[in-house]
Amino acid sequence: MRFTKVLISSAVVAAAFTGPAFAADPAASGIAFGGAFDFSYDWAANDVVSGHVFDNEDDAFVFHQANLSATKAFDGGVGVGLNVILGKDANVVSGDLLDGDDFDVTQAYISKAFGNLTLTGGRYVTLAGMEVINPSGNLNASRSLLFARQPLVHEGVRASYKLSDALSVTLGLNNSQFATSCGPAFGALGGGVGVGCTQGGAGVIGFSGQRDNNTDTTIEAQVAFTPNKMLSVFLTGYTGNEDFGDGGGFGNSANLQSDTLDLVVNLNLTDMIYVGLNADYFNTEDGAGGHFETKGVAGYAQVKLMPKLRVALRSEYVSADGDAGFGFGGIGQSIRTENTLTVGYAVSDNLELLLEGRHDRARGGGLVDVDGDGTPDFLGNEVFAPIDGDIEDDQYTGTVKVIAKF
């Protein structure tokens, strides 16, 4: 039934975009198609992978996603875009982790250009973050800790204005940043799984994947500075309210103020060497004055050793601090770090093979629900699943991944 639903949804998407013109000549329709396929074998030394977004399987082959997109430009500066995801990752993007159907409409928007001003309305990906949902747009096979705390998609309206060739600004009004619901609660820095009302996304539970069930408004703003082909800087902010749903996933039982500040810096030192930086600050406050905040920084480096061979490094530090009784299981400060090494080999222009090793580590305080019974088991730094029966303070994972893009 699930597979049938995916096929029907995909057929409807294709038919809506293509029509009779596509049957005769795809180019004649004026539609631009693109996509990526992500398939991997994911391995973990621990029994359960904690704190990762998409690569959370243990010793398994996983078809993560088929990321398919289509855009079309019309006369008068009007454009439309559609982006769908099939596969396991779709359930994280949609927020439907428990009963997902491996299908998500990630983007569906209409845009209109007025000279240097472009207005966009609909569903679109976030402005925040270094890394993206599409696997072909990242240096590493796994996603960062910060990616797990950033918003993924928004629904609303967005206005972008190009001030010059080097400077542009974007303002928007969206539904709330993060999906919230009463469902599976993931520990703030990769702890066990419990049950309760949680916020998926930035700075709180730290897992971008609860059902989007509220319509409070969030303001987004970004300044993009690209003075030359070597350097680009993006400063992005989100602020607005979040509402928790009831046990059925609906309702407005608690009001939260949620803020995100995100900095991305890209620097191409040479044609062979790249370095990047992503720094984030997240803060959430409840009506009683309680708060939960997360601060983090991720550094990136890539070196092309040969035309087809590259090595990418990512090193990350994330600190979370929350009030006791705030509702997110946070007491004191918890610190999480990760270091990732990825080797990429381009089999062809459209096919890349990735080999990755990753080490996550946690330390500091934090109430952790290890067995998933809803009751915190201990206060300490051992937050990862056990190896040979002992709770660990670190986690080792690996991936062999194939990415095909077109």
Side-chain angles (χ1 to χ4, degrees), residues 4 43 169:
T4 301
W43 168 86
V169 296

Side-chain angles (χ1 to χ4, degrees), residues 119-189:
L119 302 179
T120 303
R123 183 175 173 88
Y124 36 72
V125 295
T126 187
L127 297 174
M130 172 75 78
E131 301 177 21
V132 295
I133 298 171
N134 190 322
S136 65
N138 300 310
L139 298 180
N140 303 101
S142 64
R143 304 307 196 279
S144 66
L145 299 173
L146 292 183
F147 182 86
R149 289 154 175 79
Q150 295 160 345
L152 296 182
V153 295
H154 306 285
E155 292 182 0
V157 293
R158 176 181 287 173
S160 299
Y161 189 79
K162 184 177 180 181
L163 297 171
S164 67
D165 291 338
L167 186 64
S168 63
V169 296
T170 299
L171 293 173
L173 290 176
N174 305 313
N175 292 341
S176 301
Q177 291 182 66
F178 307 110
T180 61
S181 70
C182 294
F186 289 78
L189 288 179

Side-chain angles (χ1 to χ4, degrees), residues 219-302:
I219 300 172
E220 69 173 3
Q222 183 184 78
V223 177
F225 180 57
T226 310
N228 51 57
K229 66 178 183 179
M230 293 180 58
L231 176 66
S232 60
V233 181
F234 302 89
L235 182 62
T236 306
Y238 287 92
T239 183
N241 290 330
E242 311 285 342
D243 287 321
F244 275 111
D246 59 20
F250 299 96
N252 298 316
S253 59
N255 186 269
L256 306 171
Q257 172 70 31
S258 185
D259 302 304
T260 298
L261 185 63
D262 174 80
L263 174 67
V264 172
V265 180
N266 298 291
L267 181 60
N268 296 293
L269 298 176
T270 69
D271 292 339
M272 309 296 288
I273 302 175
Y274 160 86
V275 294
L277 175 74
N278 186 192
D280 279 329
Y281 172 77
F282 310 111
N283 184 65
T284 301
E285 297 182 0
D286 63 17
H291 85 289
F292 195 102
E293 68 176 14
T294 302
K295 295 171 283 189
V297 59
Y300 300 79
Q302 176 177 269

Side-chain angles (χ1 to χ4, degrees), residues 40-402:
S40 70
Y41 180 82
D42 299 331
W43 168 86
N46 304 65
D47 296 332
V48 178
V49 180
S50 301
H52 293 200
V53 182
F54 296 140
D55 57 317
N56 50 19
E57 295 288 338
D58 176 23
D59 299 342
F61 290 101
V62 182
F63 178 70
H64 284 281
Q65 61 174 278
N67 193 307
L68 309 175
S69 63
T71 59
K72 180 176 175 61
F74 299 91
D75 293 338
V78 176
V80 295
L82 187 63
N83 173 212
V84 300
I85 294 178
L86 308 175
K88 183 176 178 293
D89 294 354
N91 299 326
V92 178
V93 179
S94 68
D96 213 352
L97 293 176
L98 295 182
D99 54 356
D101 55 8
D102 295 344
F103 176 80
D104 178 65
V105 179
T106 305
Q107 298 189 91
Y109 58 84
I110 302 172
S111 64
K112 176 69 169 75
F114 302 89
N116 289 341
L117 174 66
T118 300
L119 302 179
T120 303
R123 183 175 173 88
Y124 36 72
V125 295
T126 187
L127 297 174
M130 172 75 78
E131 301 177 21
V132 295
I133 298 171
N134 190 322
S136 65
N138 300 310
L139 298 180
N140 303 101
S142 64
R143 304 307 196 279
S144 66
L145 299 173
L146 292 183
F147 182 86
R149 289 154 175 79
Q150 295 160 345
L152 296 182
V153 295
H154 306 285
E155 292 182 0
V157 293
R158 176 181 287 173
S160 299
Y161 189 79
K162 184 177 180 181
L163 297 171
S164 67
D165 291 338
L167 186 64
S168 63
V169 296
T170 299
L171 293 173
L173 290 176
N174 305 313
N175 292 341
S176 301
Q177 291 182 66
F178 307 110
T180 61
S181 70
C182 294
F186 289 78
L189 288 179
V193 179
V195 177
C197 294
T198 67
Q199 174 181 341
V204 185
I205 296 305
F207 194 91
S208 306
Q210 299 295 328
R211 187 173 292 106
D212 191 354
N213 63 352
N214 65 81
T215 56
D216 276 358
T217 300
T218 286
I219 300 172
E220 69 173 3
Q222 183 184 78
V223 177
F225 180 57
T226 310
N228 51 57
K229 66 178 183 179
M230 293 180 58
L231 176 66
S232 60
V233 181
F234 302 89
L235 182 62
T236 306
Y238 287 92
T239 183
N241 290 330
E242 311 285 342
D243 287 321
F244 275 111
D246 59 20
F250 299 96
N252 298 316
S253 59
N255 186 269
L256 306 171
Q257 172 70 31
S258 185
D259 302 304
T260 298
L261 185 63
D262 174 80
L263 174 67
V264 172
V265 180
N266 298 291
L267 181 60
N268 296 293
L269 298 176
T270 69
D271 292 339
M272 309 296 288
I273 302 175
Y274 160 86
V275 294
L277 175 74
N278 186 192
D280 279 329
Y281 172 77
F282 310 111
N283 184 65
T284 301
E285 297 182 0
D286 63 17
H291 85 289
F292 195 102
E293 68 176 14
T294 302
K295 295 171 283 189
V297 59
Y300 300 79
Q302 176 177 269
V303 178
K304 292 184 178 180
L305 302 177
M306 300 169 59
K308 293 181 177 292
L309 183 65
R310 66 181 181 89
V311 175
L313 298 171
R314 180 180 64 214
S315 186
E316 195 170 10
Y317 174 95
V318 177
S319 173
D321 193 357
D323 294 332
F326 182 53
F328 301 111
I331 290 183
Q333 184 183 44
S334 297
I335 297 173
R336 176 88 171 263
T337 61
E338 67 93 0
N339 293 283
T340 301
L341 172 65
T342 307
V343 178
Y345 178 76
V347 180
S348 67
D349 292 340
N350 303 100
L351 185 66
E352 186 175 30
L353 177 64
L354 302 179
L355 177 63
E356 177 174 288
R358 172 169 170 166
H359 174 241
D360 291 78
R361 186 173 184 180
R363 61 184 186 273
L367 284 175
V368 180
D369 176 17
V370 177
D371 53 17
D373 63 357
T375 302
D377 296 303
F378 56 84
L379 181 66
N381 64 332
E382 290 87 4
V383 300
F384 294 109
I387 300 177
D388 298 327
D390 295 325
I391 302 298
E392 302 290 333
D393 63 358
D394 58 1
Q395 173 179 263
Y396 294 90
T397 56
T399 296
V400 179
K401 184 181 292 287
V402 177

